[in-house]
Amino acid sequence: MTTPIKEPTPVPVGKVSTPVGARPRKPRKEERFAEGGGVLNAFSHGFLILWALMIVFPLLWVVLSSFKTDKQIGGSAWSWPSHWSFDAFSRAWDKGIGDFFVNTLVVLCGSVTLTMLFGSMAAYVLARYEFPGNRALYYIFVAGAMFPVYLALVPLFFMVNRMGLLNSYIGLILVYVAYSLPFTVFFLHSFFRTLPTAVHEAAVIDGCSHTRAFFQVMVPMAKPGLISVGIFNVLGQWNQYILPVTLMQQQKSGDPDRSMLAQGLVNLALQQGYSGDSPALFAGMTVAMVPVLVVYLSFQRQVQSGLTAGTLK
Amino acid sequence: MRHRKYPFIAGFLFVPVVLYAVFVIWPYIQTFGYSLTDWSGQSQTMNFVGFDNYSKLFSDSVFKKALVHNMLILVFLPVITILLALFFAFMLNVGGRGRAGAVQGVRGAGIYKIVFFFPQVLSIAILTVLFQAVYRSDEGGLFNGVLVKLGLEDKQHPIEWLNSPDLVLWCIIGVLIWAGVGFYLVLFSAAMQSIPKEIYEAALLDGARRGQTFFRVTLPLLWDSVQTAWVYLAIAAMDVFALVATLTPGAYYGGGPDFHSEVMATYLMRNFLTYGKSGYACAMGVVILLLTLILSAITLRITRRERIEF
């Protein structure tokens, strides 16, 4: 098959993780060799800074815009907010961003917990126990990662509809869990394989049951891997767009609006365009953006190694 | 203990497998089944029509247009993204001022990597709202604001980025590249760090220039990662649904102006939800799936090189 995901060499993530940048060594006296190094250095710094600005500038601009007035946003893109107030944030919060935020939190609490629980259970059994069909099941799980979600969207919608779970937290949680399983199982499978067997055997000899050995011995040992995948799932599910758009539409006019944050934001943007309250829109974006950036910055080693571990040979 | 192994395995696998089968595997299988019917989506009645949907698809001019757009994205997105990511990764890891012949990365390589990765953690929805503001068709937009400031553009006749039939597709590709480079940079960077520094230093001692070390040392040793990146980007190029659906003009899943940014995924969704041609939409889904598989296979086949052990 052509699964792009290859068997990774198991990377014990939390502890080692990919080294972030080669630390500049202490400069030594004898500067020779590799003439042109200086030119290249200036040249590379130039390009790197340019691209970094291209990333940071728009994001900063969004945050700044949430402090501007509507008039200022309509004017030149270069204006500086005239006075600093959090009005736009409270207006955005009232416009539903607050509800969407809470909806997203509720769903994520359920879905990330269940994803980690079921994902690690399946990965553990597939990695550590021999039984007929083990490999086949593993490949079926992993293959799910390579197909775009929208191909399954039509039948998925009707499946959830038949269960009566459209626009319900439970429905979305279950769907999130199911679609997060391929990556979770794939990643944790290789992780559980790297753990030493001796501790597990000792526990079993002492009379520990399989289930208890998993929860009290293996899970604590797999903590670094679980954290990596957990963060990845938080980011992925927080940013999920196409699934909530399909599954979380209001069915009747009386239905509560259970939009996720990303989805609610786009609806808000589409509804009012730019005639409405743009500062509130930018404030909403800031609200949606800042939590993921904070999570990413605090765990960036795990996120980067987690994302690339699946693709490295 | 042995005799209790199977109940334990079954107990642990039961819930995950059921969830996965019901919500992931079964819908994919159903897509194939529905593609052979004239199912409208609303009613549960449908007739078996064989391969009618598929033959209709080949004479559908909008679908062909969408296919061409996907192919354009498929060519430009991977090439530009991989070149940029390789370039930046090389800069970060070996572009530093060589002292005493030592090869090293530039100062602050870690910070660059963190910043370049930012867009990867942002939701597609945020990208949409952000780039709607960036591409705004008056002075308030970031691009037009810059161009007016630089005096390159008349304030009265700004460029309407997303409404221009010639530009809209490139705007989409631009966003994808902007967002994607960071990920592949980190990917290549990790691979480059696993290349022993001695190889570079030996090459430099033998009189190789920096550029030569890139093409003769780095690239051959990175080939596996480049290949992986290519397959990933090819899959991404077939699926630009969310961005096109929300960023481009046009009622129901974008694609405008006048189908100039239509991609297969948006056309599929419009057929399914707006036109009520669910069977037809499923046939489209199957075609897209097959194309994705064929493309990945071709990519892996033609980029295959002898693996270099190091």
Side-chain angles (χ1 to χ4, degrees), chain A residues 195-206:
Chain A
L195 295 179
T197 48
V199 187
H200 178 243
E201 275 163 15
V204 171
I205 288 169
D206 285 349

Side-chain angles (χ1 to χ4, degrees), chain A residues 19 21 31 33 44 49 54 62 75 130 140-141 144 147-148 150-151 158-159 179 239 241 285 296 307 311, chain B residues 5 20 23 26 28 31 41 91 99 112-113 117 121 123 129-130 140 178 187 193 205 232 238-239 246 289:
Chain A
E31 287 186 32
F33 280 115
S44 50
I49 289 172
M54 276 171 64
V62 169
E130 284 298 323
I140 290 174
F141 264 116
F147 302 121
Y150 66 85
L151 293 185
F158 287 102
M159 172 88 63
Y179 280 87
N239 287 335
Y241 176 69
M285 279 174 69
Y296 166 63
L307 278 175
T311 60
Chain B
K5 194 175 104 174
Y20 187 66
F23 289 113
W26 185 234
Y28 279 123
T31 301
M91 295 284 124
R99 289 184 205 280
Y112 283 126
K113 249 188 265 180
F117 202 80
V121 299
S123 164
V129 182
L130 173 64
W178 182 83
L187 178 68
Q193 264 156 11
L205 273 174
Y232 265 40
M238 301 299 280
D239 171 21
T246 50
L289 186 65

Side-chain angles (χ1 to χ4, degrees), chain A residues 2 4-6 18-22 24-25 27-28 30-34 37-38 40-41 43-45 47-49 51-52 54-59 61-62 73-78 118 121-122 124-125 129-132 137 140-141 144 146-156 158-160 162-163 174-175 177-179 181-182 204 208-211 214-215 235 239 241-242 262 265-266 269-270 274 281-282 285 288-289 292-293 296-297 300 303-304 307-308 311-313, chain B residues 1 4-6 8-9 11-13 15-17 19-20 22-28 30-31 34 39 41 44 84 87-88 91-92 95-107 109-110 112-126 129-130 132-134 136 139-142 145-146 149 177-178 181 183 186-187 190 193 197 201 204-205 210 224-225 227-228 231-232 235 238-239 241-242 246 265 268-269 272 278 282 285 288-289 293 296-297 300 310:
Chain A
T2 55
I5 298 170
K6 296 174 187 169
T18 46
V20 175
R25 291 177 210 165
R28 275 189 240 139
E30 60 272 34
E31 287 186 32
R32 338 173 270 114
F33 280 115
L40 188 75
N41 192 43
F43 175 74
S44 50
H45 261 302
F47 272 99
L48 289 167
I49 289 172
W51 192 267
M54 276 171 64
I55 304 280
V56 173
F57 191 62
L59 302 183
W61 183 64
V62 169
I73 291 176
S76 168
W78 294 96
F118 294 140
M121 276 161 57
Y124 173 68
V125 169
Y129 290 83
E130 284 298 323
F131 59 92
L137 200 56
I140 290 174
F141 264 116
M146 82 168 289
F147 302 121
V149 178
Y150 66 85
L151 293 185
L153 223 48
V154 185
L156 180 69
F158 287 102
M159 172 88 63
V160 178
R162 239 173 290 148
M163 295 176 176
L174 292 180
V175 171
V177 172
Y179 280 87
L181 278 177
V204 171
C208 197
S209 71
H210 288 291
T211 316
F214 172 69
F215 284 108
L235 292 175
N239 287 335
Y241 176 69
I242 188 167
L265 208 60
V266 170
L270 292 181
Y274 287 94
L281 184 62
F282 282 107
M285 279 174 69
M289 214 163 63
V292 279
L293 283 185
Y296 166 63
L297 282 177
Q300 52 93 13
V303 175
Q304 289 196 351
L307 278 175
T308 50
T311 60
L312 286 175
K313 52 170 174 156
Chain B
M1 294 306 289
R4 275 165 51 205
K5 194 175 104 174
Y6 284 104
F8 165 74
I9 292 174
F12 259 39
L13 280 180
V15 181
V17 168
L19 270 179
Y20 187 66
V22 168
F23 289 113
V24 182
I25 298 295
W26 185 234
Y28 279 123
Q30 276 183 307
T31 301
Y34 286 142
W39 182 44
Q44 281 305 313
L84 274 174
F87 174 72
F88 286 138
M91 295 284 124
L92 284 181
R97 199 186 296 274
R99 289 184 205 280
V103 173
Q104 63 187 30
V106 296
R107 223 171 267 265
Y112 283 126
K113 249 188 265 180
I114 293 173
V115 170
F116 285 15
F117 202 80
F118 271 168
Q120 201 66 40
V121 299
L122 296 178
S123 164
I124 203 87
I126 294 183
V129 182
L130 173 64
Q132 260 171 2
V134 169
R136 246 175 95 167
E139 208 198 338
L142 199 54
V146 172
K149 201 86 175 170
I177 292 171
W178 182 83
V181 165
F183 177 82
V186 173
L187 178 68
Q193 264 156 11
K197 291 259 189 283
E201 288 166 8
L204 289 174
L205 273 174
R210 295 284 173 134
D224 269 359
S225 306
Q227 202 183 14
T228 311
V231 173
Y232 265 40
I235 292 174
M238 301 299 280
D239 171 21
F241 171 75
T246 50
L268 181 153
M269 283 300 273
F272 161 46
S278 298
C282 284
I288 297 170
L289 186 65
L293 283 176
S296 324
L300 288 175
F310 58 88

Side-chain angles (χ1 to χ4, degrees), chain A residues 190-275:
Chain A
S190 60
F191 197 83
F192 278 122
R193 289 219 146 175
T194 62
L195 295 179
T197 48
V199 187
H200 178 243
E201 275 163 15
V204 171
I205 288 169
D206 285 349
C208 197
S209 71
H210 288 291
T211 316
R212 224 178 121 200
F214 172 69
F215 284 108
Q216 296 197 335
V217 178
M218 297 313 276
V219 166
M221 285 207 308
K223 220 164 139 196
L226 291 174
I227 291 175
S228 285
V229 185
I231 293 161
F232 177 82
N233 280 326
V234 168
L235 292 175
Q237 295 180 1
W238 177 275
N239 287 335
Q240 183 55 252
Y241 176 69
I242 188 167
L243 285 174
V245 164
T246 316
L247 301 175
M248 300 301 271
Q249 296 158 336
Q250 281 154 289
Q251 297 306 302
K252 305 179 286 290
S253 55
D255 258 13
D257 187 355
R258 292 205 174 113
S259 297
M260 296 295 106
L261 193 52
Q263 172 196 10
L265 208 60
V266 170
N267 285 343
L268 212 65
L270 292 181
Q271 272 166 25
Q272 60 179 21
Y274 287 94
S275 54

